[in-house]
Structures are given as C-alpha cells and as structure tokens.
Amino acid sequence: MDKNLLIVGAGIYAVVAFEIATDMGCFEKIGFVDDTKKSTPNGIDVVGAVKDIGELSTEYGNIVVAIGNPEVRVSLLKRIKQEFSYSIVSLLSPRAYISPSAEIMSGCIVEPMSVIHTGCVISDGGIVSAGAVINHCAHLGEGVHVDCNATVSGYSVVPSGVKVASGTVFGN
C-alpha cells in the first residue's frame, strides 16, 4: 500500500502524471479514479470514481490530483488532506532540473525538461509543464500551472489559480 499511487483524474494530465510516476520508479501499483471516464487516453482502466477515494485508501497509500482545472485540483487536494489518510505526493520528473534550494509543496507535478531555479516556491497543486522555466526566487501560488515553454521571471509572484500560457513570459 505504501508504494501504491492513486491518481485523481483520467485525462491527459493523468497520463502525464502516470508517466512521471513510472519514471520515478518508486511506485509498485498506479491506479486512477474519475467521475466520467472509464479508461485513460492510453487505455488504462479506471478503478473507481472520486467518491471511492475513501475506500481505496486501503489499497493506495499515496495520491495526487491530475486535473487541469486549478480550482477543482486545489479543492480536491484540500478535501483529501482533511478527510483521508493518504500521503499527498508531488511527482517530480527525474529529467527536470530542480534546485536544491527550491521548495516544492504537496500535490505538484513537475514535467520533464522543466527548470525550477534557486529559491523558488511552488505551492500546493502546482503544475510545471515540459520546457517551462521558473527563474530564481519566483513564487507560484496554489494551483498555478506554468505551461510548456513558458517562463516565470525571477522574483515574480504568480497568484493562485493562474495559468501561464505556453511560450509566454510572466513577470512582475
């Protein structure tokens, strides 16, 4: 159970989370819950609905929410923290650069080829997509998503729930 991961969601973000979790090599079993899908886009069967999270805790000790909507993602993370005994994990691609001084909070997903530089803070439920650069001392609020090849300038503060679009630069 301690080496099993439950991914909330079964869309493309969940597949990305699955691939990163697999690359991390620390989970023996990975399952998905979703309220509308019966399988992921790559054909993996869903083991239940979001309402089943409680009973699935006997089989899965770790959980991450891989849903694109930041309000839903952060809301589910808060609910899971309050109501269940899961360990909320962050999935950090071994092919990303994450500074030793960066702080990655719970429920984050950091994709391959992204850079999280010196002194950065990525708050709960953040997503840093492939090729994104979070420059030194930047702070991302809860649920922030920095999309592919986007840059957050040094010392910037990105408010909770913001999506920094692909190829753009966010700076204060």
Side-chain angles (χ1 to χ4, degrees), residues 32-132:
F32 299 85
V33 293
D34 194 284
D35 286 342
T36 60
K37 295 177 176 59
K38 299 297 178 205
S39 65
T40 65
N42 60 340
I44 300 171
D45 289 338
V46 170
V47 298
V50 173
K51 68 176 177 51
D52 302 320
I53 288 174
E55 64 189 61
L56 288 167
S57 66
T58 60
E59 190 175 347
Y60 297 90
N62 302 289
I63 196 165
V64 69
V65 179
I67 293 174
N69 182 311
E71 290 176 12
V72 172
R73 188 169 61 250
V74 170
S75 175
L76 279 169
L77 283 170
K78 288 179 180 179
R79 181 176 158 223
I80 291 165
K81 273 184 190 177
Q82 292 173 348
E83 296 179 22
F84 305 108
S85 61
Y86 285 98
S87 175
I88 299 174
V89 298
S90 286
L91 300 178
L92 311 176
S93 172
R95 294 179 289 147
Y97 172 75
I98 301 171
S99 168
S101 65
E103 183 179 357
I104 312 292
M105 297 188 184
S106 67
C108 294
I109 299 172
V110 177
E111 297 181 17
M113 307 312 171
S114 59
V115 174
I116 300 175
H117 228 290
T118 305
C120 291
V121 176
I122 313 300
S123 298
D124 291 346
I127 297 176
V128 180
S129 290

